[in-house]
Amino acid sequence: MEVSTAVRGGVGAAARRSRRRVDGWTVTTVVVALLVAGPLLVLPASFIASPDALADFKGLLPNALRATAVLIVGVGVGTLVLGTGLAALVSFCDFPGRRWIEWAIVLPLAMPGYVFTLFALGTADDVGLGLATVRSSLGAVVIFTLVLYPYVYLLARTAFLSQAGDLMEAARGLGLSRGRAILRVAVPMARPAILGGVALALMEALADFGTVNLLGVQTFTNAIYKVWFGAFDRDAALQLGTMLVSVTLLLLLLERASRGRARYGQASSSARAQPPVRLRGPAAAAALIGPLLLVALVVGAPLVQLAAWSIDSIRDGLLAPEFALAARNSLMLAGMSIVIVAAVALLLAYGRRASPSRSSAAAVRVATIGYGLPGSVVAVAVIVPLGWLDHRLDDAAGIGLLLTGTVIGLFVAYTVRFLALAFQSVDTGLERVPRSLDEAARGLGSDRLDVLARVHVPLIAPALLTAGLLVFTEVMKELPATLLLRPLGGDTLAIAVWQATTESLYETAALPALLIVLVGLIPVGVLIRLSRRAAA
Amino acid sequence: MSRRSLIVVTALAAALVAAAFVGIVLATSGGGDDELVIYSARSHYGEEKPFTTFEQDEDVDTRIFGGEAPELYERLRNEGDDSDADVLVTVDAANLWRAEQAGLLKPIHSAALERNVPANLRDAKGRWFGLTVRARTIMRSTERVGPREVTTYEGLGDPEWRGRLCLRSGTSDYNISFVADQIAKRGEPAVRRMLERWMANDPQILGSDVDVLQAIAGDDGCDVGLTNSYYLGRELEDDPDFPVAPVWADQNGPGTHLNLSGLGVVAATDRPEDAQRLVEYLTSPKQQEIFARNNHEFGVDPDVVPTEEIEQFGRFKRDPIDVAGAGRHLGDAVRLMNQVGWK
C-alpha cells in the first residue's frame, strides 16, 4: 500500500512537471530521432574527412547514375502499370473467384528479390533463357517489378475502394466509357496513393543489394560494395552512400510535390461505392487466370523449385553448415526486433501526437529516413560511431566489444533501417483514435504515459501487430547489414542463402530460402485477415 | 486494470523483454575465449577436412567464421586489439597483403613453416603463408575451340573471340587480383590495352566461375573464358565428359597466373601457440595433399601431386602472384577495370 502511494505521488509529480514543461514529449521525440538518425551523419562527414576520395572512381558514378535511372524508370513504370491495373481490375470488376484473387495478388510481397533471383538464375537454362539475359538491367527491372508491384497494388486498391461512386457515375453520365472513366477520373483521383506506392517500390529497389549484386547491375549499392571491398576506400563508399541518399530524398520530394497542395476529397463513409461490373465468359476467365498465372510465376514456381532443391540437398547431404543454428538466429533476431522497433515507433508516434510541434514533426521525418537507405550504407554508418564508442568503453571497463561484437549493433542497424515501416502502421493506428479520447482521459487525471498504456495501446493493438509483423519479415530477409554486422556465431538464414548462391550452389541455398519465404507468408496472411476484417 | 496492476504488468513485461534481449545477445554471440577462432574466406561447403582433423589431431576446439575475404579484413580492422579472431584465412593474396599492411597479422617463425612453404609463397617476415595455390587461366570449349587456338591472356582480345568470350564480373577478387598482378608486372598502359581489347569482344559477364564454365559447356555463345582451374576439377569430378578444358596461358612467356590462398596469425590473438600450430598443421605435406585432393587446387609445395582431373592436362609453367606488387595496385586495378567497362 505504501509503495503504491509513493508511486502515485511520483507519477503525479511527473505529470505536474510535464504539464509545466509542455515540450517534454518533444524533447523525447527529438532525442530518439537523433539517436536513430545520428549515425547517418557520418555519410556527409566523409566529404570533409577526405574531399576527393571519389576522384579515383570517377567512372563508377556515371555508371551508377545510369543504372539507377534505368531502374527508376523501368521499375517505376512496371509497378505503376501492373499494380494499378490489377487494383483497378479487382476494384471495378467482379468475377468468380475475385475475393481470392484480390488477396493472392499480395503474396509476392513475401518473396525477397534475391530469392527470386536465385530461382531465376538456377532455372534460366531449363527454360531456354541464357544466363546473360537474366543477368542484365532488363532482368533486374523485370524481377523488381514482379516482387514489388504489391506496394502499388495495395495502396491503389484502398484508394479506389474509398472513392465515391457518384463521381464515376457523373463521369459515365458525361459520356465516358467505363474504361475511360477509370483512366480519367478514378486513377487521377488515386494519384497520391499510387505514387506513394511507386515511391515505396523504388526505394526498395534502390536499397536492394542481393538482387543487383547477383545480376551484376552497376547500381549505387553495387558501386558502394565495389569501392569499399574491392578498393578498400571507406570514405569513397560513404560518399557514394550520401549520393544515394540524395537520390532517395529527391524521390520523396518529387512524390510530395506531385501531390502538391491539392486536396483530394475522399468519400465520406456514407457515400456508396460504385457497384463493380460483372465480367462474364472469356473476360471473367481472363480476369481470373491472368493474376493467377502471375502469382504462380512469382510465388508458386519458386516455392516448388526451392522445395525440390531442398529435398535434393537433404538427400545429398548438401545442407548449409549449421543450418539449424542459422534458423534459430534468424527467428530470435527478427522476434526481438519486433519489440525494439515497434517500441521506438510507438514512442515517436505518440510523442508527436502528445506534443505536436515543428520540432517533433521534423524529428519524425529525420528518424524515418533510414528506410530509403540500403542496408550496407546503414551498416557502415552504424559501425563507425559504434565501433569508436565500443573501443572507448572497452578501454574504460575492459568488457570486450559490447556493441559491435554482439547483435546489439545489428539491432541498432535494424532500427535505423526499418523504423519507418513500423512508424507508418503505428501512426496510422494512432490517427484513428479520436483526440477527444486523450483529452477525456487526461481530464480524468491520467498523465500522458498512463493514457498511452491504458487507452492507446489496447486500441491500436492491430496496428502494433502489423508493425511488428512487417519488421519481422524484413529482418528475416535482411542481407547486407546482417552480412557486415553479424557477430561471431550470428549467421542467419539470409546469410546461408547468400553464401551458397554466390557460389552457384543453388541446391544448398534452397532450404534456407524456402524458410524465409514461408515465414514471410505469415505476416502477409495476417495482414490479409486484418484488412478483410476491417473491410467486413 | 488498476494502476498498481498496470505497473506490475508493465514491469514484468519489461523484465521479460530485457531477459530475452540479454539471452539473445549471449546466444548469438559465440565468445571465442575457449576456442581457436578462424576467420575464413574459403568456401565452407566443400570438403575442408584439414580444419576438422586439426581439432582431433591437436585437441584444439575451433570455430570458423565464414565470409568474403574483404569483409573479414574490414571486420578485423574494426575490431582491432579486441578481436576474438586468432587466424585469418583468405582465398587470395590481395587480402593477405592488406591485412599485413594494416598491421593485423603477427609474425611467426618456425623451421617447419620454412620447410613447408617455399620462400616465394610466404612473407619474409612471417606474417602470412601460402596455403594453396590456384591457377587462373583460359578455359575453352572442347567442342568448338581447338587447344592451340588461344594460348595467351592477350589472345582473348583477338577479334575471333568477339561474342564468344565469357568473364566473371569485375567485382570478383580473383579478377581484381589478376589485373593488379598484371599491372605490377607489365605496367598499366599494357594492361589497359589488353583489357580494352577484351572488352571490345563484348564479353558476357557472369556471376561466378561456375557459371562461366557451365556457359562454355552449354551453347549460349560462350566458347572461351577465364576461371580458376579447380572449378573445372569439380565439374570433371561430377561429369568426366564435361566439355571444357584449360589452356595453360602464357607458357612461352611468364607462365600462368597463380593466386594464393593463404593464412596468417592475427595480431590480437590470445592463443598464439594454437594459432601457429594450425598454420604448421595446414601447411604440412600430409594436409597439403588432402587440400589438393579435395578441392583440385595445387599445394604450395610443387611436389604435391594435383588430382587426376587436373593432372591430365599436364604440368605447366607457373607465374606466382607478386603479393606486394599486386597489393599496391589493387586500387588501380579496380579503377582500370571500371574505366574499360568490365562490369
Side-chain angles (χ1 to χ4, degrees), chain A residues 128-263:
Chain A
L129 278 175
L131 274 180
T133 319
V134 180
R135 283 178 50 87
S136 64
S137 301
L138 180 68
V141 165
V142 170
I143 290 178
F144 280 130
T145 299
L146 289 178
V147 298
L148 296 178
Y149 78 81
Y151 287 104
V152 183
Y153 167 81
L154 276 174
L155 290 174
R157 180 178 162 275
T158 317
F160 286 152
L161 289 180
S162 65
Q163 279 170 2
D166 35 2
L167 261 175
M168 285 286 283
E169 260 160 44
R172 301 287 315 274
L174 288 171
L176 289 182
S177 72
R178 183 175 291 273
R180 293 187 70 90
I182 292 174
L183 265 183
R184 302 204 20 202
V185 178
V187 171
M189 272 181 53
R191 200 177 72 190
I194 294 176
L195 289 184
V198 171
L200 271 181
L202 289 181
M203 276 159 71
E204 286 279 342
L206 290 184
D208 169 273
F209 166 73
T211 308
V212 292
N213 189 282
L214 291 174
L215 295 180
V217 181
Q218 302 303 303
T219 58
F220 268 106
T221 43
N222 234 350
I224 290 168
Y225 190 80
K226 210 179 198 177
V227 168
W228 190 11
F229 287 141
F232 281 83
D233 198 326
R234 187 147 82 177
D235 282 322
L238 286 171
Q239 290 174 12
L240 284 171
T242 318
M243 290 179 194
L244 176 56
V245 178
S246 318
V247 174
T248 314
L249 288 181
L250 203 65
L251 268 182
L252 283 176
L253 279 181
L254 278 179
E255 188 253 343
R256 192 162 295 177
S258 83
R259 267 188 283 174
R261 298 196 159 272
R263 292 194 173 271

Side-chain angles (χ1 to χ4, degrees), chain B residues 30-85:
Chain B
D33 286 349
D34 47 354
E35 292 161 321
L36 188 71
V37 176
I38 305 163
Y39 279 12
S40 172
R42 290 178 68 90
S43 163
H44 43 305
Y45 299 108
E47 296 267 326
E48 295 277 287
K49 283 226 183 68
F51 285 96
T52 336
T53 50
F54 172 74
E55 287 199 297
Q56 293 142 17
D57 292 355
E58 303 281 319
D59 195 29
V60 175
D61 286 337
T62 64
R63 187 183 195 107
I64 296 185
F65 183 87
E68 285 185 48
E71 290 165 14
L72 296 174
Y73 161 80
E74 188 70 17
R75 191 176 279 273
L76 268 183
R77 203 171 61 159
N78 281 321
E79 290 168 345
D81 293 343
D82 298 314
S83 181
D84 277 334

